[in-house]
Amino acid sequence: MKYLLTAFLLGACAMPATAQLIVAHRGASHTAPENTLAAFRLAWEEGADGAEGDFYLTADNQIVCIHDKDTKRTAGKKLMVADSSFDELRKLDVGSWKDKKYAGEKIPTLAEVLETVPDGKRMVIELKTGPEIVEPLQEVLADSDVPNDKLLIIAFNADTVLACKRKLPEIKAHWLTGYKRNNRGAWTPSLVKVVQTMRATGADGLGSNGKPDIFDREFISKLKREGLGEFHVWTIDDPEVAKFYIEQGAYGITTNRPGWLRKELGDALKKPEEG
């Protein structure tokens, strides 16, 4: 089974535990080229409650929306994002690889992505760098019309999460983790390590790889007993896996196919109130 989605939790304190959000992974990336304005606009058209995008810092301190460290996969030409200027990156076509009808799509800035967010919808900002991105992020968010309670910052880098909670305490931040087997065959990080990291960073919740054989009912129950029950899962394209995490209390499901997944889930999905 292939897991290509991100599930997402946002505004937990304001929402009932039965509510779930459908969040578009890199925009509606099943159909449109990931992390482009076309993908985000399609996500809103498909009725997504929120959208998730990946963000790097350029050499001239601009925050741009791209998943990989370099542009080879989506542009066909390899430029390292951190070593390139915004103008250099902006010249690349990151739409044609998906479909010729998307030719001419450019790497957008965070500010441009935020401008697509409709009233009442949410944006999940995945920071792909270290803490150096947080101060530029503050500046962009200060100029954005998206309310703080409609934003969620997520990152695998624990230091980045910690910096966000120190500099942007009014915005929720989740620490992300996947799972790997160590040389003894045990899955890492362990529950103990997850708890330690969440507490050390001040994270508001956990973003977990959505693998039911690892991040299972017992793992989630133990998190809740530790007082760390706010969680989201990634990446869920399978409706049955989505239903499993809905039953465990995930507040949201991020998917490459927001419109399709909402239809497949039907009554299993309880939509939160807008606004």
Side-chain angles (χ1 to χ4, degrees), residues 25-43 52 65-67 73-75 93-108 256:
H25 179 239
R26 307 180 196 173
S29 55
H30 176 78
T31 304
E34 65 181 57
N35 283 321
T36 63
L37 296 183
F40 293 115
R41 288 168 179 149
L42 182 59
E52 177 266 353
C65 190
I66 184 171
H67 178 270
R73 180 173 62 87
T74 55
D93 175 351
V94 292
S96 295
W97 71 273
K98 189 72 171 181
D99 191 293
K100 62 182 180 181
K101 71 180 181 180
Y102 292 112
E105 282 292 323
K106 305 299 183 183
I107 296 174
N256 295 318

Short mmCIF file of all heavy atoms in Angstrom, two decimals, residues 25-43 52 65-67 73-75 93-108 256:
data_model
loop_
_atom_site.label_atom_id
_atom_site.label_comp_id
_atom_site.label_asym_id
_atom_site.label_seq_id
_atom_site.Cartn_x
_atom_site.Cartn_y
_atom_site.Cartn_z
N HIS A 25 -2.39 17.75 -0.20
CA HIS A 25 -0.94 17.53 -0.08
C HIS A 25 -0.21 18.17 -1.26
O HIS A 25 -0.36 17.75 -2.41
CB HIS A 25 -0.68 16.03 -0.05
CG HIS A 25 0.74 15.65 0.04
ND1 HIS A 25 1.37 14.88 -0.90
CD2 HIS A 25 1.67 15.92 0.99
CE1 HIS A 25 2.62 14.68 -0.54
NE2 HIS A 25 2.82 15.29 0.60
N ARG A 26 0.55 19.21 -0.99
CA ARG A 26 1.23 19.98 -2.03
C ARG A 26 0.22 20.54 -3.04
O ARG A 26 0.51 20.66 -4.22
CB ARG A 26 2.29 19.13 -2.75
CG ARG A 26 3.29 18.46 -1.80
CD ARG A 26 4.31 17.63 -2.56
NE ARG A 26 5.01 16.73 -1.65
CZ ARG A 26 5.87 15.78 -2.01
NH1 ARG A 26 6.17 15.64 -3.29
NH2 ARG A 26 6.44 14.99 -1.12
N GLY A 27 -0.96 20.87 -2.53
CA GLY A 27 -2.07 21.22 -3.40
C GLY A 27 -2.73 19.94 -3.88
O GLY A 27 -2.49 18.86 -3.35
N ALA A 28 -3.60 20.04 -4.87
CA ALA A 28 -4.25 18.85 -5.43
C ALA A 28 -3.25 18.18 -6.36
O ALA A 28 -3.37 18.21 -7.60
CB ALA A 28 -5.53 19.24 -6.15
N SER A 29 -2.23 17.54 -5.79
CA SER A 29 -1.06 17.12 -6.54
C SER A 29 -1.25 15.83 -7.32
O SER A 29 -0.37 15.44 -8.09
CB SER A 29 0.14 16.98 -5.59
OG SER A 29 -0.16 16.11 -4.53
N HIS A 30 -2.39 15.14 -7.14
CA HIS A 30 -2.67 13.98 -7.98
C HIS A 30 -2.89 14.43 -9.42
O HIS A 30 -2.50 13.74 -10.36
CB HIS A 30 -3.92 13.25 -7.46
CG HIS A 30 -4.34 12.10 -8.33
ND1 HIS A 30 -3.70 10.89 -8.30
CD2 HIS A 30 -5.34 11.99 -9.25
CE1 HIS A 30 -4.29 10.07 -9.17
NE2 HIS A 30 -5.28 10.72 -9.76
N THR A 31 -3.50 15.59 -9.59
CA THR A 31 -3.88 16.08 -10.91
C THR A 31 -2.97 17.19 -11.41
O THR A 31 -2.55 17.18 -12.57
CB THR A 31 -5.33 16.59 -10.89
OG1 THR A 31 -6.18 15.54 -10.43
CG2 THR A 31 -5.77 17.07 -12.26
N ALA A 32 -2.66 18.15 -10.57
CA ALA A 32 -1.88 19.32 -10.96
C ALA A 32 -0.44 19.18 -10.45
O ALA A 32 -0.16 18.42 -9.53
CB ALA A 32 -2.52 20.58 -10.39
N PRO A 33 0.50 19.93 -11.04
CA PRO A 33 1.90 19.84 -10.59
C PRO A 33 2.06 20.35 -9.17
O PRO A 33 1.64 21.46 -8.85
CB PRO A 33 2.65 20.73 -11.60
CG PRO A 33 1.61 21.62 -12.20
CD PRO A 33 0.33 20.85 -12.18
N GLU A 34 2.64 19.53 -8.34
CA GLU A 34 2.76 19.81 -6.90
C GLU A 34 3.38 21.16 -6.61
O GLU A 34 4.26 21.64 -7.31
CB GLU A 34 3.60 18.71 -6.24
CG GLU A 34 5.05 18.70 -6.72
CD GLU A 34 5.87 17.59 -6.08
OE1 GLU A 34 5.48 16.41 -6.20
OE2 GLU A 34 6.90 17.92 -5.46
N ASN A 35 2.89 21.77 -5.52
CA ASN A 35 3.47 23.01 -5.00
C ASN A 35 3.46 24.16 -6.00
O ASN A 35 4.31 25.06 -5.93
CB ASN A 35 4.91 22.76 -4.50
CG ASN A 35 4.94 22.06 -3.16
OD1 ASN A 35 4.13 22.33 -2.27
ND2 ASN A 35 5.87 21.13 -3.00
N THR A 36 2.49 24.16 -6.90
CA THR A 36 2.31 25.29 -7.82
C THR A 36 0.99 25.98 -7.49
O THR A 36 0.11 25.41 -6.85
CB THR A 36 2.28 24.84 -9.28
OG1 THR A 36 1.15 23.97 -9.49
CG2 THR A 36 3.57 24.12 -9.67
N LEU A 37 0.84 27.21 -7.97
CA LEU A 37 -0.41 27.91 -7.75
C LEU A 37 -1.57 27.16 -8.40
O LEU A 37 -2.69 27.16 -7.86
CB LEU A 37 -0.31 29.33 -8.30
CG LEU A 37 0.70 30.25 -7.60
CD1 LEU A 37 0.64 31.65 -8.20
CD2 LEU A 37 0.47 30.30 -6.09
N ALA A 38 -1.32 26.48 -9.52
CA ALA A 38 -2.37 25.69 -10.16
C ALA A 38 -2.85 24.59 -9.24
O ALA A 38 -4.06 24.32 -9.15
CB ALA A 38 -1.85 25.09 -11.47
N ALA A 39 -1.94 23.95 -8.52
CA ALA A 39 -2.31 22.86 -7.61
C ALA A 39 -3.10 23.38 -6.41
O ALA A 39 -4.06 22.74 -5.96
CB ALA A 39 -1.06 22.13 -7.13
N PHE A 40 -2.72 24.53 -5.90
CA PHE A 40 -3.44 25.09 -4.75
C PHE A 40 -4.82 25.57 -5.16
O PHE A 40 -5.81 25.33 -4.46
CB PHE A 40 -2.63 26.20 -4.10
CG PHE A 40 -1.36 25.71 -3.44
CD1 PHE A 40 -0.12 26.10 -3.91
CD2 PHE A 40 -1.43 24.83 -2.37
CE1 PHE A 40 1.04 25.63 -3.32
CE2 PHE A 40 -0.26 24.35 -1.77
CZ PHE A 40 0.97 24.74 -2.25
N ARG A 41 -4.92 26.21 -6.31
CA ARG A 41 -6.24 26.67 -6.77
C ARG A 41 -7.17 25.50 -7.03
O ARG A 41 -8.37 25.56 -6.72
CB ARG A 41 -6.07 27.52 -8.02
CG ARG A 41 -5.45 28.89 -7.71
CD ARG A 41 -5.03 29.61 -8.98
NE ARG A 41 -4.45 30.92 -8.67
CZ ARG A 41 -3.51 31.51 -9.39
NH1 ARG A 41 -3.03 30.90 -10.48
NH2 ARG A 41 -3.04 32.70 -9.04
N LEU A 42 -6.64 24.42 -7.59
CA LEU A 42 -7.46 23.23 -7.82
C LEU A 42 -7.92 22.63 -6.50
O LEU A 42 -9.06 22.14 -6.38
CB LEU A 42 -6.68 22.19 -8.63
CG LEU A 42 -7.44 20.91 -8.98
CD1 LEU A 42 -8.71 21.22 -9.78
CD2 LEU A 42 -6.53 19.94 -9.75
N ALA A 43 -7.06 22.65 -5.49
CA ALA A 43 -7.43 22.12 -4.17
C ALA A 43 -8.65 22.86 -3.63
O ALA A 43 -9.59 22.23 -3.10
CB ALA A 43 -6.26 22.27 -3.20
N GLU A 52 -1.50 21.99 2.03
CA GLU A 52 -0.15 21.90 2.59
C GLU A 52 0.86 22.15 1.49
O GLU A 52 0.68 21.68 0.35
CB GLU A 52 0.06 20.50 3.20
CG GLU A 52 1.45 20.25 3.76
CD GLU A 52 2.40 19.58 2.78
OE1 GLU A 52 1.95 19.19 1.67
OE2 GLU A 52 3.60 19.47 3.11
N CYS A 65 8.12 27.82 -2.66
CA CYS A 65 7.36 26.59 -2.47
C CYS A 65 7.88 25.49 -3.40
O CYS A 65 7.63 25.50 -4.61
CB CYS A 65 5.88 26.87 -2.75
SG CYS A 65 4.78 25.53 -2.28
N ILE A 66 8.59 24.55 -2.82
CA ILE A 66 9.14 23.42 -3.56
C ILE A 66 9.48 22.33 -2.56
O ILE A 66 9.87 22.63 -1.43
CB ILE A 66 10.39 23.83 -4.39
CG1 ILE A 66 10.89 22.66 -5.24
CG2 ILE A 66 11.48 24.40 -3.49
CD1 ILE A 66 11.98 23.05 -6.23
N HIS A 67 9.33 21.07 -2.94
CA HIS A 67 9.55 19.97 -2.00
C HIS A 67 11.02 19.56 -1.89
O HIS A 67 11.51 19.28 -0.80
CB HIS A 67 8.72 18.75 -2.39
CG HIS A 67 8.93 17.58 -1.49
ND1 HIS A 67 9.90 16.62 -1.72
CD2 HIS A 67 8.32 17.22 -0.33
CE1 HIS A 67 9.87 15.72 -0.75
NE2 HIS A 67 8.93 16.06 0.11
N ARG A 73 13.85 17.27 -10.41
CA ARG A 73 12.68 16.41 -10.61
C ARG A 73 11.52 17.14 -11.26
O ARG A 73 10.84 16.60 -12.13
CB ARG A 73 12.24 15.78 -9.27
CG ARG A 73 11.02 14.87 -9.39
CD ARG A 73 10.75 14.15 -8.08
NE ARG A 73 10.46 15.07 -6.99
CZ ARG A 73 9.24 15.53 -6.72
NH1 ARG A 73 8.20 15.16 -7.46
NH2 ARG A 73 9.04 16.35 -5.70
N THR A 74 11.27 18.35 -10.85
CA THR A 74 10.09 19.07 -11.33
C THR A 74 10.38 20.06 -12.45
O THR A 74 9.47 20.49 -13.15
CB THR A 74 9.38 19.80 -10.18
OG1 THR A 74 10.31 20.67 -9.53
CG2 THR A 74 8.81 18.81 -9.19
N ALA A 75 11.65 20.43 -12.64
CA ALA A 75 11.99 21.41 -13.67
C ALA A 75 12.86 20.83 -14.78
O ALA A 75 13.00 21.44 -15.84
CB ALA A 75 12.68 22.62 -13.06
N ASP A 93 10.37 26.22 -15.55
CA ASP A 93 9.03 25.70 -15.77
C ASP A 93 8.86 24.45 -14.90
O ASP A 93 9.56 23.45 -15.09
CB ASP A 93 8.86 25.34 -17.25
CG ASP A 93 7.53 24.68 -17.57
OD1 ASP A 93 6.78 24.32 -16.64
OD2 ASP A 93 7.24 24.50 -18.77
N VAL A 94 7.96 24.51 -13.92
CA VAL A 94 7.76 23.37 -13.03
C VAL A 94 6.37 22.76 -13.22
O VAL A 94 5.86 22.07 -12.33
CB VAL A 94 7.98 23.76 -11.56
CG1 VAL A 94 9.43 24.08 -11.29
CG2 VAL A 94 7.08 24.92 -11.15
N GLY A 95 5.77 23.00 -14.39
CA GLY A 95 4.45 22.45 -14.68
C GLY A 95 4.44 21.40 -15.76
O GLY A 95 3.66 20.44 -15.72
N SER A 96 5.33 21.53 -16.75
CA SER A 96 5.30 20.65 -17.92
C SER A 96 5.53 19.19 -17.58
O SER A 96 5.03 18.30 -18.26
CB SER A 96 6.35 21.11 -18.94
OG SER A 96 6.03 22.39 -19.45
N TRP A 97 6.31 18.91 -16.53
CA TRP A 97 6.60 17.51 -16.18
C TRP A 97 5.33 16.75 -15.86
O TRP A 97 5.26 15.52 -16.05
CB TRP A 97 7.57 17.45 -15.00
CG TRP A 97 6.95 17.88 -13.69
CD1 TRP A 97 6.86 19.15 -13.22
CD2 TRP A 97 6.33 17.04 -12.72
NE1 TRP A 97 6.22 19.17 -12.00
CE2 TRP A 97 5.88 17.89 -11.67
CE3 TRP A 97 6.10 15.66 -12.62
CZ2 TRP A 97 5.22 17.39 -10.54
CZ3 TRP A 97 5.44 15.17 -11.51
CH2 TRP A 97 5.01 16.02 -10.48
N LYS A 98 4.32 17.45 -15.36
CA LYS A 98 3.06 16.81 -14.98
C LYS A 98 2.14 16.65 -16.18
O LYS A 98 1.56 15.58 -16.40
CB LYS A 98 2.38 17.64 -13.89
CG LYS A 98 1.16 16.97 -13.25
CD LYS A 98 1.57 15.85 -12.35
CE LYS A 98 0.39 15.33 -11.53
NZ LYS A 98 0.78 14.23 -10.64
N ASP A 99 1.98 17.71 -16.94
CA ASP A 99 1.11 17.71 -18.11
C ASP A 99 1.42 18.97 -18.91
O ASP A 99 1.62 20.04 -18.32
CB ASP A 99 -0.36 17.70 -17.69
CG ASP A 99 -1.31 17.43 -18.84
OD1 ASP A 99 -1.40 18.29 -19.73
OD2 ASP A 99 -1.98 16.38 -18.84
N LYS A 100 1.40 18.85 -20.22
CA LYS A 100 1.75 20.00 -21.05
C LYS A 100 0.79 21.17 -20.85
O LYS A 100 1.15 22.32 -21.10
CB LYS A 100 1.79 19.60 -22.53
CG LYS A 100 0.47 19.11 -23.11
CD LYS A 100 0.64 18.70 -24.56
CE LYS A 100 -0.68 18.21 -25.16
NZ LYS A 100 -0.50 17.80 -26.58
N LYS A 101 -0.43 20.89 -20.37
CA LYS A 101 -1.37 21.98 -20.15
C LYS A 101 -0.93 22.88 -18.99
O LYS A 101 -1.44 23.99 -18.83
CB LYS A 101 -2.78 21.47 -19.92
CG LYS A 101 -3.01 20.77 -18.59
CD LYS A 101 -4.46 20.30 -18.48
CE LYS A 101 -4.74 19.61 -17.17
NZ LYS A 101 -6.15 19.16 -17.07
N TYR A 102 0.01 22.40 -18.18
CA TYR A 102 0.53 23.20 -17.07
C TYR A 102 1.86 23.85 -17.40
O TYR A 102 2.55 24.36 -16.50
CB TYR A 102 0.67 22.34 -15.83
CG TYR A 102 -0.65 21.88 -15.25
CD1 TYR A 102 -1.03 20.54 -15.30
CD2 TYR A 102 -1.53 22.79 -14.66
CE1 TYR A 102 -2.25 20.12 -14.77
CE2 TYR A 102 -2.75 22.39 -14.13
CZ TYR A 102 -3.10 21.05 -14.20
OH TYR A 102 -4.30 20.65 -13.68
N ALA A 103 2.24 23.83 -18.66
CA ALA A 103 3.50 24.47 -19.06
C ALA A 103 3.49 25.93 -18.65
O ALA A 103 2.49 26.64 -18.79
CB ALA A 103 3.67 24.35 -20.57
N GLY A 104 4.62 26.37 -18.12
CA GLY A 104 4.74 27.76 -17.70
C GLY A 104 4.48 28.00 -16.23
O GLY A 104 4.70 29.12 -15.75
N GLU A 105 4.05 26.98 -15.50
CA GLU A 105 3.89 27.15 -14.05
C GLU A 105 5.25 27.40 -13.42
O GLU A 105 6.24 26.73 -13.73
CB GLU A 105 3.26 25.91 -13.41
CG GLU A 105 1.76 25.80 -13.61
CD GLU A 105 0.97 26.86 -12.86
OE1 GLU A 105 1.36 27.21 -11.74
OE2 GLU A 105 -0.03 27.34 -13.42
N LYS A 106 5.31 28.38 -12.53
CA LYS A 106 6.56 28.78 -11.90
C LYS A 106 6.58 28.38 -10.42
O LYS A 106 5.54 28.12 -9.82
CB LYS A 106 6.74 30.29 -12.01
CG LYS A 106 6.68 30.84 -13.42
CD LYS A 106 7.78 30.26 -14.31
CE LYS A 106 7.75 30.88 -15.70
NZ LYS A 106 8.76 30.26 -16.61
N ILE A 107 7.77 28.35 -9.85
CA ILE A 107 7.90 28.13 -8.41
C ILE A 107 7.34 29.37 -7.71
O ILE A 107 7.84 30.47 -7.90
CB ILE A 107 9.37 27.91 -8.01
CG1 ILE A 107 9.91 26.63 -8.67
CG2 ILE A 107 9.51 27.83 -6.49
CD1 ILE A 107 11.41 26.42 -8.45
N PRO A 108 6.30 29.21 -6.88
CA PRO A 108 5.72 30.38 -6.22
C PRO A 108 6.40 30.71 -4.90
O PRO A 108 7.09 29.87 -4.32
CB PRO A 108 4.27 29.95 -5.98
CG PRO A 108 4.36 28.46 -5.80
CD PRO A 108 5.50 28.00 -6.67
N ASN A 256 -3.52 13.80 -1.64
CA ASN A 256 -3.25 14.27 -2.99
C ASN A 256 -4.54 14.48 -3.76
O ASN A 256 -4.55 15.17 -4.78
CB ASN A 256 -2.40 13.25 -3.75
CG ASN A 256 -1.03 13.08 -3.17
OD1 ASN A 256 -0.38 14.03 -2.80
ND2 ASN A 256 -0.58 11.85 -3.09
#
